[in-house]
Amino acid sequence: MPAKGVLVAVTADVVIAGGGVIGTAIAWRAAAAGLDVVLADPAYGDAASLVAAGMLAPVSEALFGEGALLRVNLLALARFPSFAAELEQVTGHRVGLRREGTLAVAFDAGDYAALTRLTAFRRSAGLEAEELDSRACRKLESFLTPDVHGGVLFPGDWSVDNRRYAAALREAAASAGVRVVRDRVTAVLTAGGADARVRGVALAESSEIGSDRVVVAAGSWSGAVHGLPAGLRSAVRPVKGQLLRLRHPDGMPPVLTHTIRATVRGADVYLVPRADGEVIVGATQEERGPDLTVTAGAVHDLLHDAMSVLPVTSELILAETCAGLRPGTPDNGPIVGDAGPGGLLLATGHYRNGILMSAATADAAVACLTGRAPAPEWEPFGPGRFLTRQGER
Ligand SMILES: Cc1cc2nc3c(=O)[nH]c(=O)nc-3n(C[C@H](O)[C@H](O)[C@H](O)COP(=O)(O)OP(=O)(O)OC[C@H]3O[C@@H](n4cnc5c(N)ncnc54)[C@H](O)[C@@H]3O)c2cc1C
């Protein structure tokens, strides 16, 4: 692997800018499909993908007005188990897939009314939901406070240990022959005037990489890559999320089985259990640009809300506080597909669901790279929707 600062002059069938779960999943599958792949990332493995909670939650993430997003999220969930199984088989590492479902709980009557409205919407979309009173919620999760007003079990949601998953993706990509360059892509290079096609990328600290196919998968930094059509450069913005990682003290039995999503007097908090005893508590949602600081207020609010529904949280060890940047878009949908100039592909803007969508995004990207059509669920999420809106076609 070339070190930072060393001049490289390489060529490849495809260059991928960005090595979060999206870029690395694409790199692995593209290499497995026989393409010669170079992945460029200045901080390989240091991104939103490692901060995330790892929920694979199309059902409890389904919101009013996001029907197309729900359809692509369901496609992504259906693809995830076989993708993860192949990853585990190739690397010999478990990625911690859990299928217990999400238990959404409401703290008071107002919270419950909001949950009931969302549940009706999710049922109308054909999603499974089981309404539970307070006692039934505590039968599923015995450490929940008796004050919980009621809840809904969404059995269709799963979760994965996103750090194990990201590490396994990196290993699988390496063993499939993906070459990694630790450098930042500054620009997509093109040739050919009106019928421009990509000819590679420029790097910040080394030379160029020559390639007639480039995938921009740089998460919330995607817009900083020169050479993208302007409407696309402004379409992705960072949405900050702060999150806590808790650990059980030695000898303490697990305090949770399901992912809990709670609404506590209008504020949302989730707790995601891992097989190794970790419990993730998240997350804030903040429009603060590329700020990665962890604030005392956020830690307080997350712990306060988590303890309101699961008082035993106070006995867990606060192992880590972290912040990450979700790549958000104006319509909350991802941007996946050919962008023009010819040979340029975007795979970014996965916002709250990039872990969930990673396997299906890799399929869609490899389909584009090999001249096939992606699954129809991706149609609403092409880059063209931002070009058209701004009259740049
Ligand atoms: C607090 C929080 C909780 C979340 N929870 C969940 C969840 O439960 N489930 C879920 O599905 N999703 C979740 N997400 C969202 C998910 O993390 C993202 O959608 C996903 O990680 C995006 O992956 P990515 O590969 O596009 O971006 P990233 O993981 O951010 O990776 C981008 C990579 O690009 C590199 N890069 C940047 N600029 C350049 C450049 N110019 N050239 C080359 N490389 C570059 C960076 O170094 C980085 O490695 C959460 C996010 C946050 C912040």
Side-chain angles (χ1 to χ4, degrees):
M1 180 188 308
K4 207 171 173 179
V6 173
L7 281 183
V8 286
V10 291
T11 58
D13 292 336
V14 54
V15 182
I16 298 172
V21 289
I22 298 297
T24 311
I26 295 170
W28 173 39
R29 298 319 302 162
L35 296 173
D36 176 28
V37 181
V38 170
L39 187 155
D41 191 322
Y44 193 38
D46 178 15
S49 300
L50 300 188
V51 173
M55 290 178 289
L56 308 174
V59 185
S60 60
E61 286 277 336
L63 299 176
F64 299 106
E66 294 187 349
L69 187 59
L70 172 62
R71 284 188 285 282
V72 84
N73 277 341
L74 289 172
L75 172 81
L77 188 80
R79 173 65 170 109
F80 207 93
S82 59
F83 188 87
E86 187 172 348
L87 191 57
E88 290 184 337
Q89 199 235 322
V90 165
T91 62
H93 300 307
R94 312 288 297 182
V95 298
L97 187 61
R98 297 186 63 150
R99 304 186 191 221
E100 286 89 352
T102 299
L103 176 59
V105 295
F107 192 72
D108 64 22
D111 299 328
Y112 192 69
L115 179 59
T116 303
R117 282 193 295 277
L118 264 178
T119 302
F121 160 70
R122 289 168 185 164
R123 279 218 180 95
S124 73
L127 303 172
E128 204 180 330
E130 187 185 343
E131 266 143 346
L132 304 170
D133 62 16
S134 176
R135 186 187 294 249
C137 289
R138 294 186 70 221
K139 217 166 161 190
L140 283 183
E141 290 294 348
S142 56
F143 287 101
L144 280 174
T145 174
D147 296 338
V148 156
H149 193 87
V152 180
L153 177 65
F154 298 112
D157 282 349
W158 304 337
S159 69
V160 70
D161 184 328
N162 48 297
R163 290 187 173 176
R164 285 174 184 264
Y165 175 64
L169 281 175
R170 288 198 296 273
E171 199 173 312
S175 58
V178 173
R179 289 173 287 159
V180 175
V181 174
R182 285 188 187 262
D183 204 344
R184 181 168 56 88
V185 170
T186 54
V188 176
L189 303 171
T190 57
D195 287 329
R197 279 203 61 85
V198 306
R199 64 173 180 83
V201 298
L203 300 172
E205 301 201 25
S206 20
S207 180
E208 299 176 356
I209 304 174
S211 179
D212 57 12
R213 278 166 291 184
V214 171
V215 181
V216 174
S220 58
W221 298 272
S222 297
V225 176
H226 292 270
L228 302 189
L232 291 173
R233 291 196 69 190
S234 56
V236 183
R237 71 182 196 286
V239 181
K240 178 180 176 181
Q242 301 187 55
L243 175 147
L244 315 175
R245 295 190 133 78
L246 311 181
R247 216 165 21 84
H248 287 69
D250 288 346
M252 185 176 180
V255 299
L256 272 185
T257 307
H258 302 79
T259 290
I260 302 286
R261 292 183 92 121
T263 314
V264 182
R265 298 186 191 95
D268 293 327
V269 66
Y270 55 71
L271 297 99
V272 185
R274 300 263 194 260
D276 64 2
E278 199 175 46
V279 177
I280 311 299
V281 178
T284 66
Q285 186 113 330
E286 304 168 64
E287 299 285 350
R288 287 185 190 276
D291 169 35
L292 280 173
T293 52
V294 174
T295 62
V299 175
H300 169 274
D301 291 351
L302 289 170
L303 285 177
H304 173 272
D305 293 344
M307 283 188 241
S308 298
V309 285
L310 197 79
V312 72
T313 304
S314 64
E315 292 175 36
L316 302 181
I317 296 164
L318 178 56
E320 186 184 335
T321 62
C322 47
L325 302 174
R326 305 173 184 91
T329 62
D331 59 11
N332 297 339
I335 306 175
V336 176
D338 292 314
L344 175 62
L345 184 74
L346 260 75
T348 184
H350 292 79
Y351 192 32
R352 307 185 306 250
N353 295 304
I355 309 296
L356 166 62
M357 282 195 243
S358 52
T361 298
D363 287 347
V366 172
C368 293
L369 289 169
T370 55
R372 291 176 292 118
E377 286 84 347
W378 288 104
E379 210 170 297
F381 299 109
R385 71 196 196 274
F386 295 113
L387 298 178
T388 309
R389 186 175 297 174
Q390 304 195 11
E392 289 175 3
R393 266 227 149 143

